[in-house]
Amino acid sequence: MKILKLALKNFKGIKSFVLDTQGGNVDVYGDNAAGKTTLFDAFTWLLFDKDSQNRKDFEIKTLDQFGQPLHGLEHEVEAVLEAGGKTITLRKVFREKWTKKRGSATAEFTGHTTDYFVDGVPVKKSEYETRIAEICDEGVFKLLTSPTYFNEQLHWQKRREILLQVCGDISDSDVIASDPSLSELPKILNGRKLEDHRKIIAARRAEINKELEKIPVRISEVENNLPDISGIVPEALAEDIARLRAERQDKQAELAVLESGGLVAEKMRALKEVETALIDITRQYRAKVDKEVEQKREELARLKEQIATLQANLTGVKREAEITQETARKLDEKIKRLREEWQKVNDTVFTFEQSAVCPTCGQPMPEEKLNEAREKALAQFNLQKASRLEEIAAEGKAARVELESHRERLSNLEYTIKRTAKELDTLKQKAEAVQAEIDAISAKAADVANDPTYQQKMAEKVSLEEEIAKLRAGNQDTADAIRREIAEIDRAISALEEEGAKVKMYYQGQKRIEELKAQERELAAEYERLEQELYLTEQFIRTKVRLLEDKINSRFKLARFKLFDIQVNGAVVECCETTYQGVPYSALNHGSKINVGLDIINTLAEHYGFAPPIFVDNAEAVTKLIPTKGQLIKLIVSESDKTLRVECYEEPLNQKLMKEAV
């Protein structure tokens, strides 16, 4: 694609200028602010509505000395292009819109309009954009027209994406095949992405570190809580406890024989029967009382429900009475106000003021005309007064009727309140009486001792206990001695069981310590395995970095690209930094930046199969440009050229440079 001619009219301060390239490369000379970059801005605005810095909102109009736009001018850019072996003329006109509003003699500024032309034919904006899109893609065009666009206006992620599209990525299988040490990596990844597996490793390593930090603390806690079992022979504990329990069983049998003499046993059985009978009597008596209480409680619940309903009704009626009383008060005030207004209107006296001189001719008015006007005004006054008095009277009558209605309603409500309050008092008294009955019945539950049957069985119980006590009195001393021996055996058994518990706790603690140590060894082994896996992933990334950077850099003559950054901790992160002879792009001088940018454009133009014109700003800083595929338009600062000066080459500069390179 070539620019054959580019014409500007009233565009960013350039009143009129034509850049005639004759189809070749051109040098444009001009002092600072003479309009060199404006040519590039005009070309990109013509195609994409943006300036050369990719800004859509920029000032197109010519400004005066105070920075204000000059009105009434048409701002126009036209270009004759050669694209795909054909010539096409594009033209865009940006103008102000002035509109006269109805009733106004002057037009007002109401906005802007843009007209589009293709080969001199007016077209719609959508048609114009379609024709542009047929020639070139906007994103590709910007990449190939400015040597600085790729490195200075694109985010590093977008630059990286473009390089991978142009040069192709390196597959994981290619990376693994290039290094035998990576052969185990597919099995380790098990279908996961490399970065996902690295995240899993990092998370698991963090978990293992936390666990490894906790284990010594846990072991120390267990060791501190181990009981002292010095002096205890664990093997003899079970035998000693079994022997003492056998002795205790013998003593219990001896005591049972002593206490279960024939007559004592018989009396004990009779005593058990009496005690059972007493329990049955007490249970039956309480069941009867509970039934009576439950019936009364049901009656009390019904009364409380009725009380709650009446209280709610009473509250509602009282509220309605308050509202009705307030409404009646307002109606009474309204009637008083209407009565005063009626009296005021009724007291109004007719007055008539009329000039005796005709306002048109200035002659005195005839007496009959004056009387006629007065009579007419009087009739109108009386009609309006009567009408207003009638309205007030009607409104007052309606208010009195409504007031009487509310007073009657209020009387009914007050009666309802008194009646409901009386019913509520009656229900509350009934509820209090039922509660008193419940309390009295409940108190009877403790009076089972007064029941004749209960008293009879209680007397039998006392008699049997006295007989048993007399029978046992003779054997009491022997039985007490046996019980003391049993108690001593129990204390010995408890002491041995405590020692056994200590031994058990000690062995459990030792087992827990071994478990923690085994867990520590397992975690350490797992951590070591993860370290190896992490090393393999990093080796994979380093290998891929080398292969990918070599592949991409081989496509360029000057530019080199750093696509990965190895951090202090050994981690590898993606980046995209352009370098030249080892120097980062940001540290290059302007000339090197331009040639590196042109080198990138050459490779991208070959990939996209499209070579548009290339605008090289500040070209005076470059002593020698590398050969390019596209038409070159160099913008050169020249202090002596206060207006733009153009020099064309007899043969396109890029072709000349290519011959020199050969």
Side-chain angles (χ1 to χ4, degrees), residues 270-288:
L271 179 61
K272 288 291 183 184
E273 292 176 357
V274 171
E275 289 175 343
T276 301
L278 287 171
I279 292 172
D280 290 340
I281 293 170
T282 302
R283 185 170 56 251
Q284 292 172 2
Y285 185 84
R286 182 166 293 280
K288 180 181 178 182

mmCIF file with all atom_site columns, all heavy atoms in Angstrom, residues 270-288:
data_model
loop_
_atom_site.group_PDB
_atom_site.id
_atom_site.type_symbol
_atom_site.label_atom_id
_atom_site.label_alt_id
_atom_site.label_comp_id
_atom_site.label_asym_id
_atom_site.label_entity_id
_atom_site.label_seq_id
_atom_site.pdbx_PDB_ins_code
_atom_site.Cartn_x
_atom_site.Cartn_y
_atom_site.Cartn_z
_atom_site.occupancy
_atom_site.B_iso_or_equiv
_atom_site.pdbx_formal_charge
_atom_site.auth_seq_id
_atom_site.auth_comp_id
_atom_site.auth_asym_id
_atom_site.auth_atom_id
_atom_site.pdbx_PDB_model_num
ATOM 1   N N   . ALA A 1 270 ? -40.327 -59.274 103.202 1.00 0.00 ? 270 ALA A N   1
ATOM 2   C CA  . ALA A 1 270 ? -41.590 -58.628 103.575 1.00 0.00 ? 270 ALA A CA  1
ATOM 3   C C   . ALA A 1 270 ? -41.439 -57.109 103.518 1.00 0.00 ? 270 ALA A C   1
ATOM 4   O O   . ALA A 1 270 ? -42.346 -56.376 103.089 1.00 0.00 ? 270 ALA A O   1
ATOM 5   C CB  . ALA A 1 270 ? -42.006 -59.070 104.976 1.00 0.00 ? 270 ALA A CB  1
ATOM 6   N N   . LEU A 1 271 ? -40.268 -56.602 103.949 1.00 0.00 ? 271 LEU A N   1
ATOM 7   C CA  . LEU A 1 271 ? -40.027 -55.154 103.926 1.00 0.00 ? 271 LEU A CA  1
ATOM 8   C C   . LEU A 1 271 ? -40.040 -54.619 102.484 1.00 0.00 ? 271 LEU A C   1
ATOM 9   O O   . LEU A 1 271 ? -40.597 -53.539 102.212 1.00 0.00 ? 271 LEU A O   1
ATOM 10  C CB  . LEU A 1 271 ? -38.687 -54.849 104.603 1.00 0.00 ? 271 LEU A CB  1
ATOM 11  C CG  . LEU A 1 271 ? -38.278 -53.378 104.652 1.00 0.00 ? 271 LEU A CG  1
ATOM 12  C CD1 . LEU A 1 271 ? -39.307 -52.563 105.441 1.00 0.00 ? 271 LEU A CD1 1
ATOM 13  C CD2 . LEU A 1 271 ? -36.884 -53.222 105.268 1.00 0.00 ? 271 LEU A CD2 1
ATOM 14  N N   . LYS A 1 272 ? -39.445 -55.375 101.556 1.00 0.00 ? 272 LYS A N   1
ATOM 15  C CA  . LYS A 1 272 ? -39.427 -54.950 100.161 1.00 0.00 ? 272 LYS A CA  1
ATOM 16  C C   . LYS A 1 272 ? -40.843 -54.862 99.600  1.00 0.00 ? 272 LYS A C   1
ATOM 17  O O   . LYS A 1 272 ? -41.181 -53.947 98.846  1.00 0.00 ? 272 LYS A O   1
ATOM 18  C CB  . LYS A 1 272 ? -38.609 -55.944 99.321  1.00 0.00 ? 272 LYS A CB  1
ATOM 19  C CG  . LYS A 1 272 ? -37.108 -55.879 99.567  1.00 0.00 ? 272 LYS A CG  1
ATOM 20  C CD  . LYS A 1 272 ? -36.535 -54.571 99.041  1.00 0.00 ? 272 LYS A CD  1
ATOM 21  C CE  . LYS A 1 272 ? -35.015 -54.540 99.216  1.00 0.00 ? 272 LYS A CE  1
ATOM 22  N NZ  . LYS A 1 272 ? -34.462 -53.236 98.785  1.00 0.00 ? 272 LYS A NZ  1
ATOM 23  N N   . GLU A 1 273 ? -41.708 -55.804 99.969  1.00 0.00 ? 273 GLU A N   1
ATOM 24  C CA  . GLU A 1 273 ? -43.084 -55.796 99.485  1.00 0.00 ? 273 GLU A CA  1
ATOM 25  C C   . GLU A 1 273 ? -43.839 -54.575 100.007 1.00 0.00 ? 273 GLU A C   1
ATOM 26  O O   . GLU A 1 273 ? -44.586 -53.927 99.270  1.00 0.00 ? 273 GLU A O   1
ATOM 27  C CB  . GLU A 1 273 ? -43.796 -57.084 99.926  1.00 0.00 ? 273 GLU A CB  1
ATOM 28  C CG  . GLU A 1 273 ? -43.260 -58.328 99.242  1.00 0.00 ? 273 GLU A CG  1
ATOM 29  C CD  . GLU A 1 273 ? -43.913 -59.601 99.777  1.00 0.00 ? 273 GLU A CD  1
ATOM 30  O OE1 . GLU A 1 273 ? -44.737 -59.472 100.716 1.00 0.00 ? 273 GLU A OE1 1
ATOM 31  O OE2 . GLU A 1 273 ? -43.593 -60.698 99.276  1.00 0.00 ? 273 GLU A OE2 1
ATOM 32  N N   . VAL A 1 274 ? -43.606 -54.255 101.313 1.00 0.00 ? 274 VAL A N   1
ATOM 33  C CA  . VAL A 1 274 ? -44.286 -53.088 101.895 1.00 0.00 ? 274 VAL A CA  1
ATOM 34  C C   . VAL A 1 274 ? -43.815 -51.794 101.206 1.00 0.00 ? 274 VAL A C   1
ATOM 35  O O   . VAL A 1 274 ? -44.606 -50.906 100.905 1.00 0.00 ? 274 VAL A O   1
ATOM 36  C CB  . VAL A 1 274 ? -44.047 -53.036 103.421 1.00 0.00 ? 274 VAL A CB  1
ATOM 37  C CG1 . VAL A 1 274 ? -44.552 -51.720 103.998 1.00 0.00 ? 274 VAL A CG1 1
ATOM 38  C CG2 . VAL A 1 274 ? -44.729 -54.218 104.119 1.00 0.00 ? 274 VAL A CG2 1
ATOM 39  N N   . GLU A 1 275 ? -42.508 -51.681 100.984 1.00 0.00 ? 275 GLU A N   1
ATOM 40  C CA  . GLU A 1 275 ? -41.977 -50.472 100.340 1.00 0.00 ? 275 GLU A CA  1
ATOM 41  C C   . GLU A 1 275 ? -42.537 -50.309 98.925  1.00 0.00 ? 275 GLU A C   1
ATOM 42  O O   . GLU A 1 275 ? -42.849 -49.194 98.484  1.00 0.00 ? 275 GLU A O   1
ATOM 43  C CB  . GLU A 1 275 ? -40.448 -50.539 100.299 1.00 0.00 ? 275 GLU A CB  1
ATOM 44  C CG  . GLU A 1 275 ? -39.813 -50.360 101.683 1.00 0.00 ? 275 GLU A CG  1
ATOM 45  C CD  . GLU A 1 275 ? -38.301 -50.547 101.650 1.00 0.00 ? 275 GLU A CD  1
ATOM 46  O OE1 . GLU A 1 275 ? -37.806 -51.122 100.634 1.00 0.00 ? 275 GLU A OE1 1
ATOM 47  O OE2 . GLU A 1 275 ? -37.620 -50.136 102.594 1.00 0.00 ? 275 GLU A OE2 1
ATOM 48  N N   . THR A 1 276 ? -42.704 -51.443 98.219  1.00 0.00 ? 276 THR A N   1
ATOM 49  C CA  . THR A 1 276 ? -43.289 -51.394 96.870  1.00 0.00 ? 276 THR A CA  1
ATOM 50  C C   . THR A 1 276 ? -44.731 -50.923 96.932  1.00 0.00 ? 276 THR A C   1
ATOM 51  O O   . THR A 1 276 ? -45.191 -50.124 96.097  1.00 0.00 ? 276 THR A O   1
ATOM 52  C CB  . THR A 1 276 ? -43.207 -52.773 96.206  1.00 0.00 ? 276 THR A CB  1
ATOM 53  O OG1 . THR A 1 276 ? -41.842 -53.179 96.139  1.00 0.00 ? 276 THR A OG1 1
ATOM 54  C CG2 . THR A 1 276 ? -43.793 -52.748 94.813  1.00 0.00 ? 276 THR A CG2 1
ATOM 55  N N   . ALA A 1 277 ? -45.477 -51.399 97.919  1.00 0.00 ? 277 ALA A N   1
ATOM 56  C CA  . ALA A 1 277 ? -46.877 -50.993 98.074  1.00 0.00 ? 277 ALA A CA  1
ATOM 57  C C   . ALA A 1 277 ? -46.976 -49.498 98.353  1.00 0.00 ? 277 ALA A C   1
ATOM 58  O O   . ALA A 1 277 ? -47.864 -48.804 97.836  1.00 0.00 ? 277 ALA A O   1
ATOM 59  C CB  . ALA A 1 277 ? -47.520 -51.795 99.202  1.00 0.00 ? 277 ALA A CB  1
ATOM 60  N N   . LEU A 1 278 ? -46.069 -48.985 99.204  1.00 0.00 ? 278 LEU A N   1
ATOM 61  C CA  . LEU A 1 278 ? -46.073 -47.538 99.504  1.00 0.00 ? 278 LEU A CA  1
ATOM 62  C C   . LEU A 1 278 ? -45.838 -46.703 98.232  1.00 0.00 ? 278 LEU A C   1
ATOM 63  O O   . LEU A 1 278 ? -46.473 -45.664 98.014  1.00 0.00 ? 278 LEU A O   1
ATOM 64  C CB  . LEU A 1 278 ? -44.994 -47.222 100.549 1.00 0.00 ? 278 LEU A CB  1
ATOM 65  C CG  . LEU A 1 278 ? -45.297 -47.665 101.989 1.00 0.00 ? 278 LEU A CG  1
ATOM 66  C CD1 . LEU A 1 278 ? -44.059 -47.495 102.862 1.00 0.00 ? 278 LEU A CD1 1
ATOM 67  C CD2 . LEU A 1 278 ? -46.464 -46.845 102.566 1.00 0.00 ? 278 LEU A CD2 1
ATOM 68  N N   . ILE A 1 279 ? -44.944 -47.202 97.384  1.00 0.00 ? 279 ILE A N   1
ATOM 69  C CA  . ILE A 1 279 ? -44.665 -46.477 96.125  1.00 0.00 ? 279 ILE A CA  1
ATOM 70  C C   . ILE A 1 279 ? -45.896 -46.465 95.234  1.00 0.00 ? 279 ILE A C   1
ATOM 71  O O   . ILE A 1 279 ? -46.241 -45.432 94.629  1.00 0.00 ? 279 ILE A O   1
ATOM 72  C CB  . ILE A 1 279 ? -43.470 -47.126 95.409  1.00 0.00 ? 279 ILE A CB  1
ATOM 73  C CG1 . ILE A 1 279 ? -42.179 -46.889 96.210  1.00 0.00 ? 279 ILE A CG1 1
ATOM 74  C CG2 . ILE A 1 279 ? -43.308 -46.566 93.996  1.00 0.00 ? 279 ILE A CG2 1
ATOM 75  C CD1 . ILE A 1 279 ? -40.982 -47.666 95.683  1.00 0.00 ? 279 ILE A CD1 1
ATOM 76  N N   . ASP A 1 280 ? -46.610 -47.619 95.164  1.00 0.00 ? 280 ASP A N   1
ATOM 77  C CA  . ASP A 1 280 ? -47.811 -47.696 94.322  1.00 0.00 ? 280 ASP A CA  1
ATOM 78  C C   . ASP A 1 280 ? -48.896 -46.757 94.825  1.00 0.00 ? 280 ASP A C   1
ATOM 79  O O   . ASP A 1 280 ? -49.575 -46.086 94.032  1.00 0.00 ? 280 ASP A O   1
ATOM 80  C CB  . ASP A 1 280 ? -48.335 -49.136 94.289  1.00 0.00 ? 280 ASP A CB  1
ATOM 81  C CG  . ASP A 1 280 ? -47.402 -50.056 93.512  1.00 0.00 ? 280 ASP A CG  1
ATOM 82  O OD1 . ASP A 1 280 ? -46.602 -49.526 92.702  1.00 0.00 ? 280 ASP A OD1 1
ATOM 83  O OD2 . ASP A 1 280 ? -47.483 -51.284 93.707  1.00 0.00 ? 280 ASP A OD2 1
ATOM 84  N N   . ILE A 1 281 ? -49.083 -46.726 96.163  1.00 0.00 ? 281 ILE A N   1
ATOM 85  C CA  . ILE A 1 281 ? -50.115 -45.849 96.734  1.00 0.00 ? 281 ILE A CA  1
ATOM 86  C C   . ILE A 1 281 ? -49.803 -44.388 96.406  1.00 0.00 ? 281 ILE A C   1
ATOM 87  O O   . ILE A 1 281 ? -50.691 -43.610 96.017  1.00 0.00 ? 281 ILE A O   1
ATOM 88  C CB  . ILE A 1 281 ? -50.211 -46.066 98.264  1.00 0.00 ? 281 ILE A CB  1
ATOM 89  C CG1 . ILE A 1 281 ? -50.737 -47.478 98.568  1.00 0.00 ? 281 ILE A CG1 1
ATOM 90  C CG2 . ILE A 1 281 ? -51.097 -45.019 98.909  1.00 0.00 ? 281 ILE A CG2 1
ATOM 91  C CD1 . ILE A 1 281 ? -50.632 -47.862 100.040 1.00 0.00 ? 281 ILE A CD1 1
ATOM 92  N N   . THR A 1 282 ? -48.532 -44.001 96.571  1.00 0.00 ? 282 THR A N   1
ATOM 93  C CA  . THR A 1 282 ? -48.136 -42.613 96.297  1.00 0.00 ? 282 THR A CA  1
ATOM 94  C C   . THR A 1 282 ? -48.374 -42.262 94.829  1.00 0.00 ? 282 THR A C   1
ATOM 95  O O   . THR A 1 282 ? -48.880 -41.176 94.499  1.00 0.00 ? 282 THR A O   1
ATOM 96  C CB  . THR A 1 282 ? -46.646 -42.408 96.642  1.00 0.00 ? 282 THR A CB  1
ATOM 97  O OG1 . THR A 1 282 ? -46.437 -42.731 98.016  1.00 0.00 ? 282 THR A OG1 1
ATOM 98  C CG2 . THR A 1 282 ? -46.216 -40.983 96.373  1.00 0.00 ? 282 THR A CG2 1
ATOM 99  N N   . ARG A 1 283 ? -48.042 -43.185 93.908  1.00 0.00 ? 283 ARG A N   1
ATOM 100 C CA  . ARG A 1 283 ? -48.193 -42.920 92.477  1.00 0.00 ? 283 ARG A CA  1
ATOM 101 C C   . ARG A 1 283 ? -49.661 -42.763 92.101  1.00 0.00 ? 283 ARG A C   1
ATOM 102 O O   . ARG A 1 283 ? -50.032 -41.865 91.326  1.00 0.00 ? 283 ARG A O   1
ATOM 103 C CB  . ARG A 1 283 ? -47.555 -44.062 91.680  1.00 0.00 ? 283 ARG A CB  1
ATOM 104 C CG  . ARG A 1 283 ? -47.561 -43.808 90.176  1.00 0.00 ? 283 ARG A CG  1
ATOM 105 C CD  . ARG A 1 283 ? -46.723 -44.827 89.409  1.00 0.00 ? 283 ARG A CD  1
ATOM 106 N NE  . ARG A 1 283 ? -47.139 -46.186 89.680  1.00 0.00 ? 283 ARG A NE  1
ATOM 107 C CZ  . ARG A 1 283 ? -46.437 -47.064 90.392  1.00 0.00 ? 283 ARG A CZ  1
ATOM 108 N NH1 . ARG A 1 283 ? -45.268 -46.713 90.906  1.00 0.00 ? 283 ARG A NH1 1
ATOM 109 N NH2 . ARG A 1 283 ? -46.879 -48.286 90.608  1.00 0.00 ? 283 ARG A NH2 1
ATOM 110 N N   . GLN A 1 284 ? -50.537 -43.647 92.637  1.00 0.00 ? 284 GLN A N   1
ATOM 111 C CA  . GLN A 1 284 ? -51.966 -43.565 92.319  1.00 0.00 ? 284 GLN A CA  1
ATOM 112 C C   . GLN A 1 284 ? -52.577 -42.273 92.844  1.00 0.00 ? 284 GLN A C   1
ATOM 113 O O   . GLN A 1 284 ? -53.397 -41.636 92.172  1.00 0.00 ? 284 GLN A O   1
ATOM 114 C CB  . GLN A 1 284 ? -52.686 -44.782 92.920  1.00 0.00 ? 284 GLN A CB  1
ATOM 115 C CG  . GLN A 1 284 ? -52.304 -46.102 92.257  1.00 0.00 ? 284 GLN A CG  1
ATOM 116 C CD  . GLN A 1 284 ? -52.883 -47.298 92.994  1.00 0.00 ? 284 GLN A CD  1
ATOM 117 O OE1 . GLN A 1 284 ? -53.614 -47.152 93.986  1.00 0.00 ? 284 GLN A OE1 1
ATOM 118 N NE2 . GLN A 1 284 ? -52.538 -48.505 92.512  1.00 0.00 ? 284 GLN A NE2 1
ATOM 119 N N   . TYR A 1 285 ? -52.161 -41.906 94.074  1.00 0.00 ? 285 TYR A N   1
ATOM 120 C CA  . TYR A 1 285 ? -52.699 -40.688 94.678  1.00 0.00 ? 285 TYR A CA  1
ATOM 121 C C   . TYR A 1 285 ? -52.307 -39.455 93.833  1.00 0.00 ? 285 TYR A C   1
ATOM 122 O O   . TYR A 1 285 ? -53.124 -38.584 93.548  1.00 0.00 ? 285 TYR A O   1
ATOM 123 C CB  . TYR A 1 285 ? -52.169 -40.557 96.111  1.00 0.00 ? 285 TYR A CB  1
ATOM 124 C CG  . TYR A 1 285 ? -52.768 -39.390 96.891  1.00 0.00 ? 285 TYR A CG  1
ATOM 125 C CD1 . TYR A 1 285 ? -53.990 -39.527 97.544  1.00 0.00 ? 285 TYR A CD1 1
ATOM 126 C CD2 . TYR A 1 285 ? -52.103 -38.176 96.957  1.00 0.00 ? 285 TYR A CD2 1
ATOM 127 C CE1 . TYR A 1 285 ? -54.534 -38.460 98.250  1.00 0.00 ? 285 TYR A CE1 1
ATOM 128 C CE2 . TYR A 1 285 ? -52.635 -37.104 97.648  1.00 0.00 ? 285 TYR A CE2 1
ATOM 129 C CZ  . TYR A 1 285 ? -53.855 -37.242 98.302  1.00 0.00 ? 285 TYR A CZ  1
ATOM 130 O OH  . TYR A 1 285 ? -54.392 -36.181 98.986  1.00 0.00 ? 285 TYR A OH  1
ATOM 131 N N   . ARG A 1 286 ? -51.055 -39.421 93.423  1.00 0.00 ? 286 ARG A N   1
ATOM 132 C CA  . ARG A 1 286 ? -50.586 -38.263 92.639  1.00 0.00 ? 286 ARG A CA  1
ATOM 133 C C   . ARG A 1 286 ? -51.256 -38.226 91.261  1.00 0.00 ? 286 ARG A C   1
ATOM 134 O O   . ARG A 1 286 ? -51.528 -37.146 90.736  1.00 0.00 ? 286 ARG A O   1
ATOM 135 C CB  . ARG A 1 286 ? -49.066 -38.322 92.485  1.00 0.00 ? 286 ARG A CB  1
ATOM 136 C CG  . ARG A 1 286 ? -48.489 -37.138 91.716  1.00 0.00 ? 286 ARG A CG  1
ATOM 137 C CD  . ARG A 1 286 ? -47.002 -37.060 91.878  1.00 0.00 ? 286 ARG A CD  1
ATOM 138 N NE  . ARG A 1 286 ? -46.624 -36.733 93.229  1.00 0.00 ? 286 ARG A NE  1
ATOM 139 C CZ  . ARG A 1 286 ? -46.636 -35.497 93.723  1.00 0.00 ? 286 ARG A CZ  1
ATOM 140 N NH1 . ARG A 1 286 ? -47.037 -34.490 92.976  1.00 0.00 ? 286 ARG A NH1 1
ATOM 141 N NH2 . ARG A 1 286 ? -46.272 -35.261 94.960  1.00 0.00 ? 286 ARG A NH2 1
ATOM 142 N N   . ALA A 1 287 ? -51.520 -39.394 90.657  1.00 0.00 ? 287 ALA A N   1
ATOM 143 C CA  . ALA A 1 287 ? -52.162 -39.430 89.342  1.00 0.00 ? 287 ALA A CA  1
ATOM 144 C C   . ALA A 1 287 ? -53.555 -38.825 89.410  1.00 0.00 ? 287 ALA A C   1
ATOM 145 O O   . ALA A 1 287 ? -53.992 -38.104 88.503  1.00 0.00 ? 287 ALA A O   1
ATOM 146 C CB  . ALA A 1 287 ? -52.226 -40.869 88.834  1.00 0.00 ? 287 ALA A CB  1
ATOM 147 N N   . LYS A 1 288 ? -54.289 -39.116 90.516  1.00 0.00 ? 288 LYS A N   1
ATOM 148 C CA  . LYS A 1 288 ? -55.630 -38.562 90.684  1.00 0.00 ? 288 LYS A CA  1
ATOM 149 C C   . LYS A 1 288 ? -55.573 -37.037 90.802  1.00 0.00 ? 288 LYS A C   1
ATOM 150 O O   . LYS A 1 288 ? -56.360 -36.311 90.183  1.00 0.00 ? 288 LYS A O   1
ATOM 151 C CB  . LYS A 1 288 ? -56.277 -39.179 91.929  1.00 0.00 ? 288 LYS A CB  1
ATOM 152 C CG  . LYS A 1 288 ? -57.685 -38.666 92.211  1.00 0.00 ? 288 LYS A CG  1
ATOM 153 C CD  . LYS A 1 288 ? -58.249 -39.323 93.476  1.00 0.00 ? 288 LYS A CD  1
ATOM 154 C CE  . LYS A 1 288 ? -59.640 -38.772 93.795  1.00 0.00 ? 288 LYS A CE  1
ATOM 155 N NZ  . LYS A 1 288 ? -60.188 -39.356 95.041  1.00 0.00 ? 288 LYS A NZ  1
#
